[in-house]
mmCIF file of all heavy atoms in Angstrom:
data_model
loop_
_atom_site.group_PDB
_atom_site.id
_atom_site.type_symbol
_atom_site.label_atom_id
_atom_site.label_comp_id
_atom_site.label_asym_id
_atom_site.label_seq_id
_atom_site.Cartn_x
_atom_site.Cartn_y
_atom_site.Cartn_z
ATOM 1 N N TYR X 1 39.869 39.561 -21.576
ATOM 2 C CA TYR X 1 39.936 40.080 -20.210
ATOM 3 C C TYR X 1 39.459 41.519 -20.134
ATOM 4 O O TYR X 1 39.346 42.082 -19.058
ATOM 5 C CB TYR X 1 41.370 39.959 -19.689
ATOM 6 C CG TYR X 1 41.902 38.566 -19.897
ATOM 7 C CD1 TYR X 1 42.732 38.266 -20.970
ATOM 8 C CD2 TYR X 1 41.501 37.536 -19.054
ATOM 9 C CE1 TYR X 1 43.177 36.965 -21.186
ATOM 10 C CE2 TYR X 1 41.938 36.237 -19.265
ATOM 11 C CZ TYR X 1 42.773 35.962 -20.327
ATOM 12 O OH TYR X 1 43.191 34.681 -20.534
ATOM 13 N N THR X 2 39.185 42.080 -21.303
ATOM 14 C CA THR X 2 38.811 43.491 -21.351
ATOM 15 C C THR X 2 37.988 43.781 -22.607
ATOM 16 O O THR X 2 38.095 43.075 -23.605
ATOM 17 C CB THR X 2 40.085 44.379 -21.330
ATOM 18 O OG1 THR X 2 39.726 45.739 -21.212
ATOM 19 C CG2 THR X 2 40.926 44.197 -22.566
ATOM 20 N N LEU X 3 37.153 44.793 -22.516
ATOM 21 C CA LEU X 3 36.515 45.413 -23.675
ATOM 22 C C LEU X 3 37.045 46.838 -23.703
ATOM 23 O O LEU X 3 37.302 47.418 -22.652
ATOM 24 C CB LEU X 3 34.995 45.411 -23.529
ATOM 25 C CG LEU X 3 34.316 44.044 -23.560
ATOM 26 C CD1 LEU X 3 32.829 44.182 -23.226
ATOM 27 C CD2 LEU X 3 34.489 43.380 -24.920
ATOM 28 N N SER X 4 37.190 47.410 -24.891
ATOM 29 C CA SER X 4 37.792 48.743 -24.935
ATOM 30 C C SER X 4 37.336 49.528 -26.163
ATOM 31 O O SER X 4 36.614 49.026 -27.017
ATOM 32 C CB SER X 4 39.320 48.632 -24.938
ATOM 33 O OG SER X 4 39.794 48.248 -26.210
ATOM 34 N N SER X 5 37.838 50.765 -26.217
ATOM 35 C CA SER X 5 37.554 51.613 -27.371
ATOM 36 C C SER X 5 38.129 51.011 -28.644
ATOM 37 O O SER X 5 37.766 51.421 -29.741
ATOM 38 C CB SER X 5 38.109 53.017 -27.139
ATOM 39 O OG SER X 5 39.483 52.963 -26.793
ATOM 40 N N ARG X 6 38.992 50.025 -28.513
ATOM 41 C CA ARG X 6 39.575 49.336 -29.668
ATOM 42 C C ARG X 6 38.729 48.141 -30.110
ATOM 43 O O ARG X 6 39.009 47.530 -31.125
ATOM 44 C CB ARG X 6 40.993 48.897 -29.335
ATOM 45 C CG ARG X 6 41.896 50.076 -29.035
ATOM 46 C CD ARG X 6 43.233 49.642 -28.535
ATOM 47 N NE ARG X 6 44.077 50.822 -28.317
ATOM 48 C CZ ARG X 6 45.213 50.800 -27.674
ATOM 49 N NH1 ARG X 6 45.679 49.670 -27.184
ATOM 50 N NH2 ARG X 6 45.910 51.896 -27.507
ATOM 51 N N SER X 7 37.705 47.795 -29.314
ATOM 52 C CA SER X 7 36.823 46.677 -29.645
ATOM 53 C C SER X 7 35.845 47.090 -30.742
ATOM 54 O O SER X 7 35.530 48.269 -30.903
ATOM 55 C CB SER X 7 36.024 46.246 -28.411
ATOM 56 O OG SER X 7 36.878 45.839 -27.365
ATOM 57 N N GLN X 8 35.366 46.121 -31.481
ATOM 58 C CA GLN X 8 34.359 46.355 -32.522
ATOM 59 C C GLN X 8 33.006 45.913 -31.962
ATOM 60 O O GLN X 8 32.630 44.755 -32.072
ATOM 61 C CB GLN X 8 34.701 45.555 -33.781
ATOM 62 C CG GLN X 8 36.019 45.950 -34.416
ATOM 63 C CD GLN X 8 35.989 47.371 -34.944
ATOM 64 O OE1 GLN X 8 35.033 47.779 -35.597
ATOM 65 N NE2 GLN X 8 37.025 48.132 -34.657
ATOM 66 N N PHE X 9 32.283 46.856 -31.351
ATOM 67 C CA PHE X 9 31.020 46.536 -30.698
ATOM 68 C C PHE X 9 29.867 46.453 -31.689
ATOM 69 O O PHE X 9 29.858 47.142 -32.706
ATOM 70 C CB PHE X 9 30.666 47.602 -29.647
ATOM 71 C CG PHE X 9 31.663 47.704 -28.541
ATOM 72 C CD1 PHE X 9 32.347 48.884 -28.313
ATOM 73 C CD2 PHE X 9 31.923 46.620 -27.715
ATOM 74 C CE1 PHE X 9 33.269 48.982 -27.289
ATOM 75 C CE2 PHE X 9 32.842 46.702 -26.692
ATOM 76 C CZ PHE X 9 33.518 47.887 -26.481
ATOM 77 N N LYS X 10 28.896 45.642 -31.329
ATOM 78 C CA LYS X 10 27.624 45.625 -32.050
ATOM 79 C C LYS X 10 26.756 46.690 -31.379
ATOM 80 O O LYS X 10 26.454 46.598 -30.192
ATOM 81 C CB LYS X 10 26.976 44.248 -31.945
ATOM 82 C CG LYS X 10 25.680 44.156 -32.689
ATOM 83 C CD LYS X 10 25.097 42.755 -32.636
ATOM 84 C CE LYS X 10 23.796 42.725 -33.404
ATOM 85 N NZ LYS X 10 23.184 41.397 -33.325
ATOM 86 N N GLN X 11 26.376 47.716 -32.138
ATOM 87 C CA GLN X 11 25.579 48.801 -31.584
ATOM 88 C C GLN X 11 24.092 48.471 -31.619
ATOM 89 O O GLN X 11 23.635 47.698 -32.459
ATOM 90 C CB GLN X 11 25.817 50.098 -32.370
ATOM 91 C CG GLN X 11 27.218 50.628 -32.254
ATOM 92 C CD GLN X 11 27.397 51.943 -32.988
ATOM 93 O OE1 GLN X 11 26.546 52.389 -33.754
ATOM 94 N NE2 GLN X 11 28.520 52.595 -32.750
ATOM 95 N N ASN X 12 23.355 49.086 -30.710
ATOM 96 C CA ASN X 12 21.902 49.001 -30.726
ATOM 97 C C ASN X 12 21.393 49.872 -31.871
ATOM 98 O O ASN X 12 22.134 50.688 -32.425
ATOM 99 C CB ASN X 12 21.327 49.473 -29.390
ATOM 100 C CG ASN X 12 21.821 48.621 -28.236
ATOM 101 O OD1 ASN X 12 21.939 47.405 -28.348
ATOM 102 N ND2 ASN X 12 22.137 49.265 -27.118
ATOM 103 N N GLN X 13 20.119 49.742 -32.223
ATOM 104 C CA GLN X 13 19.548 50.501 -33.352
ATOM 105 C C GLN X 13 19.720 51.999 -33.191
ATOM 106 O O GLN X 13 19.885 52.715 -34.174
ATOM 107 C CB GLN X 13 18.074 50.160 -33.525
ATOM 108 C CG GLN X 13 17.854 48.849 -34.230
ATOM 109 C CD GLN X 13 16.389 48.659 -34.587
ATOM 110 O OE1 GLN X 13 15.494 48.947 -33.804
ATOM 111 N NE2 GLN X 13 16.154 48.137 -35.782
ATOM 112 N N ASP X 14 19.683 52.499 -31.964
ATOM 113 C CA ASP X 14 19.805 53.941 -31.731
ATOM 114 C C ASP X 14 21.256 54.409 -31.626
ATOM 115 O O ASP X 14 21.518 55.573 -31.328
ATOM 116 C CB ASP X 14 19.023 54.354 -30.482
ATOM 117 C CG ASP X 14 19.563 53.733 -29.198
ATOM 118 O OD1 ASP X 14 20.552 52.957 -29.242
ATOM 119 O OD2 ASP X 14 18.990 54.028 -28.128
ATOM 120 N N GLY X 15 22.228 53.506 -31.859
ATOM 121 C CA GLY X 15 23.644 53.868 -31.800
ATOM 122 C C GLY X 15 24.257 53.698 -30.425
ATOM 123 O O GLY X 15 25.460 53.897 -30.256
ATOM 124 N N SER X 16 23.459 53.341 -29.430
ATOM 125 C CA SER X 16 23.988 53.091 -28.089
ATOM 126 C C SER X 16 24.704 51.740 -28.067
ATOM 127 O O SER X 16 24.599 50.957 -29.014
ATOM 128 C CB SER X 16 22.860 53.128 -27.051
ATOM 129 O OG SER X 16 21.943 52.066 -27.272
ATOM 130 N N VAL X 17 25.431 51.488 -26.993
ATOM 131 C CA VAL X 17 26.188 50.239 -26.859
ATOM 132 C C VAL X 17 25.908 49.639 -25.491
ATOM 133 O O VAL X 17 25.958 50.338 -24.473
ATOM 134 C CB VAL X 17 27.706 50.486 -27.014
ATOM 135 C CG1 VAL X 17 28.505 49.226 -26.696
ATOM 136 C CG2 VAL X 17 28.032 50.977 -28.418
ATOM 137 N N ASP X 18 25.619 48.342 -25.470
ATOM 138 C CA ASP X 18 25.446 47.594 -24.225
ATOM 139 C C ASP X 18 26.606 46.626 -24.079
ATOM 140 O O ASP X 18 26.830 45.785 -24.967
ATOM 141 C CB ASP X 18 24.138 46.795 -24.237
ATOM 142 C CG ASP X 18 22.916 47.685 -24.142
ATOM 143 O OD1 ASP X 18 23.004 48.752 -23.506
ATOM 144 O OD2 ASP X 18 21.869 47.304 -24.700
ATOM 145 N N LEU X 19 27.354 46.753 -22.983
ATOM 146 C CA LEU X 19 28.399 45.793 -22.672
ATOM 147 C C LEU X 19 27.775 44.734 -21.774
ATOM 148 O O LEU X 19 27.161 45.058 -20.751
ATOM 149 C CB LEU X 19 29.580 46.474 -21.973
ATOM 150 C CG LEU X 19 30.233 47.621 -22.747
ATOM 151 C CD1 LEU X 19 31.464 48.120 -22.004
ATOM 152 C CD2 LEU X 19 30.570 47.221 -24.166
ATOM 153 N N LEU X 20 27.904 43.483 -22.160
ATOM 154 C CA LEU X 20 27.283 42.367 -21.461
ATOM 155 C C LEU X 20 28.319 41.691 -20.573
ATOM 156 O O LEU X 20 29.365 41.240 -21.062
ATOM 157 C CB LEU X 20 26.707 41.383 -22.468
ATOM 158 C CG LEU X 20 25.748 42.016 -23.480
ATOM 159 C CD1 LEU X 20 25.368 41.019 -24.553
ATOM 160 C CD2 LEU X 20 24.532 42.581 -22.781
ATOM 161 N N ILE X 21 28.031 41.640 -19.293
ATOM 162 C CA ILE X 21 28.966 41.121 -18.299
ATOM 163 C C ILE X 21 28.300 39.913 -17.650
ATOM 164 O O ILE X 21 27.325 40.063 -16.906
ATOM 165 C CB ILE X 21 29.297 42.216 -17.266
ATOM 166 C CG1 ILE X 21 29.846 43.460 -17.976
ATOM 167 C CG2 ILE X 21 30.251 41.690 -16.207
ATOM 168 C CD1 ILE X 21 29.733 44.737 -17.195
ATOM 169 N N GLN X 22 28.814 38.721 -17.971
ATOM 170 C CA GLN X 22 28.180 37.510 -17.465
ATOM 171 C C GLN X 22 29.118 36.325 -17.662
ATOM 172 O O GLN X 22 30.094 36.406 -18.400
ATOM 173 C CB GLN X 22 26.850 37.263 -18.168
ATOM 174 C CG GLN X 22 26.966 37.153 -19.685
ATOM 175 C CD GLN X 22 25.613 37.199 -20.361
ATOM 176 O OE1 GLN X 22 24.892 38.189 -20.252
ATOM 177 N NE2 GLN X 22 25.266 36.121 -21.056
ATOM 178 N N ASN X 23 28.793 35.213 -16.994
ATOM 179 C CA ASN X 23 29.641 34.031 -17.039
ATOM 180 C C ASN X 23 29.515 33.281 -18.361
ATOM 181 O O ASN X 23 30.510 32.888 -18.947
ATOM 182 C CB ASN X 23 29.324 33.113 -15.849
ATOM 183 C CG ASN X 23 30.161 31.861 -15.874
ATOM 184 O OD1 ASN X 23 29.675 30.803 -16.242
ATOM 185 N ND2 ASN X 23 31.419 31.987 -15.507
ATOM 186 N N GLU X 24 28.320 33.061 -18.831
ATOM 187 C CA GLU X 24 28.122 32.273 -20.047
ATOM 188 C C GLU X 24 27.893 33.182 -21.250
ATOM 189 O O GLU X 24 27.394 34.295 -21.119
ATOM 190 C CB GLU X 24 26.946 31.323 -19.853
ATOM 191 C CG GLU X 24 27.243 30.283 -18.780
ATOM 192 C CD GLU X 24 26.163 29.228 -18.659
ATOM 193 O OE1 GLU X 24 25.325 29.120 -19.572
ATOM 194 O OE2 GLU X 24 26.172 28.525 -17.645
ATOM 195 N N SER X 25 28.232 32.675 -22.421
ATOM 196 C CA SER X 25 28.086 33.432 -23.659
ATOM 197 C C SER X 25 26.645 33.914 -23.833
ATOM 198 O O SER X 25 25.703 33.152 -23.612
ATOM 199 C CB SER X 25 28.474 32.570 -24.857
ATOM 200 O OG SER X 25 28.136 33.235 -26.066
ATOM 201 N N PRO X 26 26.471 35.169 -24.257
ATOM 202 C CA PRO X 26 25.130 35.674 -24.538
ATOM 203 C C PRO X 26 24.625 35.222 -25.908
ATOM 204 O O PRO X 26 23.545 35.620 -26.331
ATOM 205 C CB PRO X 26 25.327 37.189 -24.504
ATOM 206 C CG PRO X 26 26.737 37.376 -24.959
ATOM 207 C CD PRO X 26 27.499 36.198 -24.414
ATOM 208 N N GLY X 27 25.421 34.410 -26.614
ATOM 209 C CA GLY X 27 25.096 33.980 -27.974
ATOM 210 C C GLY X 27 26.102 34.584 -28.942
ATOM 211 O O GLY X 27 26.613 35.680 -28.714
ATOM 212 N N LYS X 28 26.410 33.865 -29.997
ATOM 213 C CA LYS X 28 27.429 34.311 -30.968
ATOM 214 C C LYS X 28 27.164 35.719 -31.488
ATOM 215 O O LYS X 28 28.091 36.492 -31.694
ATOM 216 C CB LYS X 28 27.513 33.328 -32.143
ATOM 217 C CG LYS X 28 28.186 32.037 -31.804
ATOM 218 C CD LYS X 28 29.668 32.227 -31.685
ATOM 219 C CE LYS X 28 30.353 30.885 -31.464
ATOM 220 N NZ LYS X 28 31.711 31.032 -31.015
ATOM 221 N N ASP X 29 25.888 36.063 -31.707
ATOM 222 C CA ASP X 29 25.551 37.368 -32.273
ATOM 223 C C ASP X 29 25.830 38.523 -31.310
ATOM 224 O O ASP X 29 25.872 39.676 -31.722
ATOM 225 C CB ASP X 29 24.097 37.401 -32.728
ATOM 226 C CG ASP X 29 23.109 37.188 -31.596
ATOM 227 O OD1 ASP X 29 23.416 36.391 -30.675
ATOM 228 O OD2 ASP X 29 22.028 37.797 -31.630
#
């Protein structure tokens, strides 16, 4: 129900982070 600073995000190559907000899974990766 939430993403947070406690989540383990997959970072982009430049160290940025994209949070994906959508109905269906964006894929396991």
Side-chain angles (χ1 to χ4, degrees):
Y1 309 99
T2 187
L3 293 173
S4 76
S5 53
R6 298 172 178 168
S7 300
Q8 298 295 314
F9 298 119
K10 181 177 180 182
Q11 295 183 349
N12 300 320
Q13 281 189 318
D14 64 359
S16 65
V17 173
D18 290 329
L19 302 185
L20 306 172
I21 304 158
Q22 57 192 62
N23 179 257
E24 295 186 15
S25 171
K28 286 286 185 195
D29 62 324

